Amino acid sequence: MGDEQGHRGVGHRLAGLKPGTVHWGRPIAGVTTDNGQTQVLFADGTTEMFDLVIGADGAWSRVRPAVSAALPDYTGTSMLETYFDDIDNRHPVLAELIGAGSMVDTERPVMLGAQRNSDGHVRAYAMFEDLPLDWHVAAGVDLDDTEAVRAYVLGRLEGWHESLLDLIRESDGGFVNRPIHAFADGHSWAHVPGVTLLGDAAHLLPPHGIGANLALIDGSDLAAAVAAHDDLDQAVRAYEAVMLARGGAAARADAELSVLMDNDDVNTTDMRKLYNDRMLNPAV
């Protein structure tokens, strides 16, 4: 895994694992397979062999090339992310605006939102649905220049309510440019013994609030399959049969929801119910 400091929020969840189970600061560079044996190449140049490697490493998975040459496509939407620390004490008005979870306001093609994390940390986002991948080049914006990015975002938000603009004006940190990529038509592969994928590595979708749930279901199904089969490879095959069908259904549902989200009168609850029905019942 990557930097331990960056994962401090999950430390308490890992406390029950045996020492040495999690190796911080050991990112992988790639994975190869040969006759069911799977070798992991680490960034430090070392290698290790495993019975099964599970790629749960996100959009730009370094495990995925072992099973598929597919790469996600740019969706035409980019998100600029910033943050607040100790928001309840340092920015109480914004803390009240965000509430206990998250808030979103939309005026197409722009979305502004904020999401609480742990320990008073909040991530704020400005999402634009009309940007080319190299938008910052065309706009003459240096992504490392916080104030230049802030000015660009505020310029795009002209006319928005002052309370919402403070999510951008008052943020503590710089801005991270996050172009949104996805497997818009779904993603599948022929089974490769010794390696599989879950979550965004397997079925990357736009951030419509379902990706983490899909990953959790994937993990649960994989664990259940391993527990139910004496043969590890058969367990993975059983898991992939379910997961790949669900991932394809989720991609189709997302395409439908993307159209529905352009309707100002859409009911968010009904939208999420449709998404879940499509995901959990791939035949629907």
Side-chain angles (χ1 to χ4, degrees):
M1 297 184 74
D3 182 12
E4 183 172 8
Q5 182 68 16
H7 293 82
R8 63 185 183 277
V10 302
H12 67 283
R13 301 186 188 93
L14 304 178
L17 298 177
K18 294 180 180 179
T21 299
V22 177
H23 292 248
W24 298 105
R26 287 197 77 194
I28 72 167
V31 173
T32 59
T33 63
D34 183 22
N35 293 325
Q37 294 293 305
T38 307
Q39 177 177 267
V40 173
L41 170 64
F42 294 93
D44 61 7
T46 61
T47 61
E48 289 190 35
M49 302 298 296
F50 295 90
D51 295 325
L52 176 64
V53 173
I54 303 165
D57 50 343
W60 303 108
S61 170
R62 294 180 181 176
V63 178
R64 187 192 298 131
V67 299
S68 168
L71 292 173
D73 297 314
Y74 179 55
T75 63
T77 296
S78 283
M79 182 166 60
L80 290 161
E81 175 186 326
T82 186
Y83 68 87
F84 295 85
D85 280 324
D86 194 19
I87 194 167
D88 297 290
N89 294 316
R90 299 179 59 242
H91 303 278
V93 175
L94 284 175
E96 183 176 0
L97 176 69
I98 296 165
S102 61
M103 58 79 58
V104 172
D105 200 354
T106 302
E107 182 66 33
R108 301 285 178 185
V110 182
M111 183 276 282
L112 193 61
Q115 180 184 57
R116 280 187 181 267
N117 300 142
S118 58
D119 301 324
H121 185 80
V122 164
R123 295 181 181 182
Y125 309 92
M127 182 180 291
F128 303 96
E129 297 179 340
D130 58 352
L131 292 181
L133 189 58
D134 62 347
W135 67 267
H136 49 95
V137 177
V141 175
D142 180 356
L143 293 176
D144 293 325
D145 185 338
T146 297
E147 296 312 314
V149 179
R150 195 189 312 275
Y152 172 85
V153 175
L154 290 172
R156 291 293 307 271
L157 296 174
E158 184 177 353
W160 285 55
H161 195 275
E162 293 296 307
S163 62
L164 295 171
L165 294 178
D166 282 343
L167 288 169
I168 303 301
R169 287 192 297 225
E170 304 297 327
S171 71
D172 294 332
F175 292 82
V176 179
N177 181 44
R178 298 195 183 281
I180 306 303
H181 291 73
F183 287 119
D185 298 322
H187 175 226
S188 62
W189 61 90
H191 175 71
V192 177
V195 60
T196 193
L197 307 174
L198 65 76
D200 283 351
H203 39 63
L204 181 65
L205 294 173
H208 292 158
I210 204 66
N213 295 334
L214 275 175
L216 290 170
I217 296 172
D218 288 349
S220 175
D221 283 349
L222 178 56
V226 170
H229 292 78
D230 293 331
D231 182 86
L232 183 59
D233 188 62
Q234 290 302 312
V236 175
R237 288 177 182 272
Y239 156 71
E240 289 177 347
V242 173
M243 179 272 294
L244 290 173
R246 181 170 56 230
R252 293 188 293 274
D254 182 77
E256 294 178 19
L257 291 176
S258 295
V259 174
L260 290 175
M261 288 170 68
D262 288 333
N263 184 345
D264 292 336
D265 298 326
V266 70
N267 183 295
T268 303
T269 300
D270 290 343
M271 224 167 66
R272 291 190 180 278
K273 182 178 184 301
L274 172 63
Y275 208 140
N276 287 331
D277 285 346
R278 297 290 191 190
M279 177 184 71
L280 296 175
N281 301 285
V284 174

